[in-house]
Every structure is written in structure tokens, then in C-alpha cells.
Amino acid sequence: SWDTLRDARRRTMATDEFVPLPQLADVDGYRPTTFDYDPPAGSKDPKGGIPPGKSEWVDVFRKSIPEFRKRAAADPRVPEAASLADRFADDFSTALDRIHAGDHADLFEGQPTVLKMCRLRDETLRSLGFTDCFKVVKATENERALTVLPAVLAEIDAIADAKDRLLALIQGAFAGNIFDLGAAASAKLHEDGGGDFRSTRARLRSRPWLVDDFDSLHQAWTANGATGGELASTWRKCVMFVDNSGADVVLGMLPIARELARRGCKVVLAANEVPSINDVTAAELEDLLPRVAELDETFAEAVKCGAIAVCSTGSDLPVIDLRRVSKRLAATVDDADFVILEGMGRAIETNLEAAFDCDALRIGMVKHPEVAQCLGGELYDCVCRFEAAGYI
């Protein structure tokens, strides 16, 4: 029942195991969500139109129900999965009707946000026994990505020019980020057999991207003035918030982590504690690292000497409120001087406007038309926002 869900949530929220990310510049002024789900009358999007309102955002979640129902119905670990999957679809659809009608006081406090609605969807699944219904597809996609990884790394290593190499790494992050089964458009692409890494990378929008701070990122990346080769890193330690399993983390983010480590920057890969959609968990990432190390000597060396490590964020959502990260993560990255947030959920729908007291990079692909509209762009546009330390 909703009461049980609400009580469980209150118990979770009351724990003192969570603290703010040390790099947040203004914890009191921090607002995790980027878009207003119920914008005031007279609001305009960047092109002067009426921005998506509550009914459009409710529809975003409604359109995700078929994919979640499909994955839940096929979950081999849940008895009577098919009928429970139908119940999830009915329960969550009813909750969405109530949110649309403004009758949601016992679902969550205050107005709807992406954080609250993602939590409601995940808790509805979990209450029916679906703790990780994307487990099979995550494992399949990880295996597929591992077979492609050596060639992807060889391509990157063959690029001598530092700027071109960085561009290839960022484009790889965009291409990998399309593997997102929580968004209706990219879930359909995956079902139709599209969205593979190489073809996506080849078809990426050309620069300038929708948000394009690549040139200032490159300046910071090569701040010591060198132009190539084995460079000293600008940063000592990076905390990298990763997103999806498969091509996203294996072909998109691990090559960036490897490049930073190669240049002398330690990288802490920050991933979910609890499964949510097809996002990679910290435990899954721990299992992936030795597999990647077997395929690549540079990566193996970085893992062996602790230059690349994994730490759980403590999170159980596909979006993140950086006032609530695990104490262990906060302690591990206390001295980090570079924050990378990747993916539409963590870098665009939340934290796009967050202020940090160190250099920060947000990268991701836009996979909801409503998010595109709010940013004045189109579906599958790319976001690369880099802000140097002290920007508020």
C-alpha cells in the first residue's frame, strides 16, 4: 500500500548515513532538479513557447510503463512475474492519474519533481518484489560492450593530438549514453536493434552541441600547455558519477577514466548502491573492472595501483540529490578537484545548474523530447557543460 511505501521512505530519509557531496559550493542554495514540473503561468521555454507542464511530465513517466512492464514480466527471479508486472503497470498508472489531478499528498510531500516520481516508480516495482528487473539486459549489454572495448581503446590511443583525442572520448560518452531503457525513445531504439555504439557515434550531432563548453574543457584538460603525449594531469582526483550499464559505462566512461588515470589523476567511479532501471551498480562495476583489466594493460595498471576505484553513492535512483551521498563516498572524494556527472538523469534532469567549488563537467544525451524543449533543443542533442572552479 502507499502507506507502507511512505513509511519505508521516511525510515530511509531519516538515516544519518547520507551527507552532502563535499564539492557542493552552496548546500543551502542547492536545488537538485533542473526543470519545474508545474511551471508558473506565463513561463516560456528558450524558444518562446509554453514549456512542458505537469501533464506532459506525467506522460513522460506514463510512456515508460510498457518497457518496465516488459522487463518485470520477464524477471526469472520473481514468481508470477507476469501478473505482478501488470499490477505494477496498473498501480503506477493510477498514481500518475492522481499526480495529474493534484491528489498526491499521501504519495509524496510537496510538488512533483523528477526525484519524487522516479522514486515512486522504483518503490512501486520494489514493493511487488522487482528489485532488479533489468538485471539480464544489463549483463547482456556489458558482455557485448566488452567485446568492442579493445578496438575502441586502440582507436583512441592512435589519436596523437590531445584535442582530437579528448573530442573522441567525449563523443564516446555521448554515444554510449543512448543505452537508456528508462526513456521511451531510446528504449524503442534498443528494441529495434538500433543504438549500437559505433553507428550512434557516427551519427552524433556535429558541434556546436546544444550545450557546448568543449573548448574550455580542453583548455583545462591541457592547462599545463603541453600538446600531447604522456601529460601531467590538471587534476589530482576526479569523482565520476556514472549512469547506465553496457556501452555507456564500458565504452563511454571507462575510456575517460583510463585517460585521466594515464595522465596521473585518480578516478573514483561513483555508482548506485541499489539497482534502478539499467543503471550500473557499484557491485556490478566492481565485477567489471577485472574483466576490463584483462583486456587492457593501461587499465590493469591503473586498477592495480588504485588510480581507478569504485565507490557506492548510496543511491537507489536514476537521478541524484547531491545533498545525500554515502558517508563513504564523501570521505573517499573529500580531496577531489574535478567532478564529472554523466547521463540525462544525473547531469541534465538533476544537477545541470548545480554549483561546485571545483571544476565540474556534465555530459549526457537528451532522450526525452520534453527535456529537449526545456533546453531549446531536439531529441538526441548533446550536452557538454564544463565550469571551472568557483563558478556560481
Side-chain angles (χ1 to χ4, degrees):
S1 75
W2 297 121
D3 287 341
T4 316
L5 281 179
R6 194 181 57 212
D7 291 345
R9 184 181 311 135
R10 282 190 177 145
R11 278 199 301 279
T12 306
M13 297 298 278
T15 66
D16 61 356
E17 293 307 302
F18 294 96
V19 293
L21 184 74
Q23 288 74 17
L24 272 184
D26 175 15
V27 175
D28 293 336
Y30 168 76
R31 179 175 178 251
T33 54
T34 307
F35 310 117
D36 192 339
Y37 271 20
D38 203 0
S43 300
K44 295 271 194 284
D45 68 27
K47 292 183 176 174
I50 299 166
K54 187 159 65 171
S55 63
E56 287 84 4
W57 290 113
V58 164
D59 264 359
V60 168
F61 282 86
R62 208 182 287 287
K63 285 176 192 159
S64 76
I65 291 175
E67 178 70 18
F68 281 77
R69 173 195 246 152
K70 179 178 93 174
R71 299 292 170 187
D75 191 334
R77 298 165 310 141
V78 178
E80 297 178 51
S83 61
L84 286 170
D86 288 343
R87 193 169 142 203
F88 156 75
D90 292 344
D91 286 356
F92 189 53
S93 189
T94 301
L96 291 177
D97 291 341
R98 291 181 53 196
I99 291 165
H100 189 243
D103 173 29
H104 48 72
D106 66 332
L107 300 181
F108 47 73
E109 289 172 20
Q111 290 308 302
T113 67
V114 67
L115 281 155
K116 293 171 190 175
M117 289 175 71
C118 284
R119 181 169 294 287
L120 187 63
R121 180 176 60 191
D122 276 358
E123 286 179 345
T124 306
L125 276 169
R126 289 170 192 145
S127 71
L128 295 166
F130 297 109
T131 54
D132 191 5
C133 59
F134 290 81
K135 189 180 178 73
V136 173
V137 71
K138 287 189 294 181
T140 304
E141 293 296 335
N142 284 342
E143 294 302 324
R144 187 177 293 176
L146 286 167
T147 63
V148 182
L149 181 62
V152 168
L153 294 178
E155 283 171 23
I156 289 161
D157 289 350
I159 302 170
D161 180 76
K163 189 170 187 178
D164 290 343
R165 183 187 284 218
L166 180 61
L167 182 62
L169 288 164
I170 297 298
Q171 288 173 326
F174 291 146
N177 194 230
I178 206 164
F179 177 51
D180 179 353
L181 300 181
S186 45
K188 176 83 169 68
L189 200 63
H190 183 263
E191 185 181 17
D192 294 345
D196 72 282
F197 181 78
R198 287 180 183 282
S199 64
T200 304
R201 192 176 58 179
R203 290 197 312 269
L204 283 177
R205 300 263 153 83
S206 54
R207 294 188 62 207
W209 301 313
L210 178 58
V211 177
D212 191 335
D213 294 329
F214 177 79
D215 291 336
S216 50
L217 169 64
H218 170 249
Q219 277 182 330
W221 192 268
T222 52
N224 57 4
T227 53
E230 300 295 324
L231 305 176
S233 171
T234 306
W235 304 285
R236 292 185 311 278
K237 185 187 274 189
C238 169
V239 54
M240 180 184 282
F241 290 85
V242 295
D243 188 9
N244 303 299
S245 302
D248 194 356
V249 69
V250 176
L251 305 179
M253 298 313 291
L254 292 186
I256 296 176
R258 173 183 180 264
E259 184 71 7
L260 284 165
R262 202 176 68 82
R263 299 161 59 101
C265 177
K266 287 189 172 179
V267 181
V268 177
L269 300 164
N272 270 18
E273 175 66 23
V274 177
S276 180
I277 323 183
N278 61 309
D279 290 13
V280 71
T281 64
E284 288 163 347
L285 206 41
E286 291 274 17
D287 290 342
L288 269 174
L289 292 196
R291 303 279 311 278
V292 174
E294 283 171 19
L295 301 171
D296 180 69
E297 208 171 303
T298 306
F299 198 89
E301 192 53 46
V303 172
K304 189 174 152 191
C305 73
I308 294 178
V310 176
C311 189
S312 166
T313 59
S315 175
D316 58 355
L317 294 177
V319 285
I320 194 162
D321 179 341
L322 294 174
R323 292 169 301 195
R324 292 179 48 76
V325 302
S326 70
K327 281 184 174 175
R328 182 171 160 243
L329 179 68
T332 304
V333 305
D334 187 52
D335 55 344
D337 52 2
F338 190 23
V339 172
I340 298 179
L341 289 143
E342 184 249 352
M344 185 172 70
R346 291 171 191 80
I348 300 174
E349 291 181 280
T350 57
N351 300 303
L352 187 63
E353 306 297 341
F356 299 94
D357 60 14
C358 66
D359 291 355
L361 171 65
R362 280 151 277 213
I363 40 176
M365 187 182 264
V366 175
K367 290 159 292 191
H368 289 322
E370 296 78 6
V371 169
Q373 188 190 336
C374 285
L375 295 173
E378 297 170 20
L379 196 65
Y380 303 130
D381 266 341
C382 300
V383 169
C384 173
R385 172 168 283 182
F386 176 76
E387 281 160 359
Y391 173 89
I392 296 183

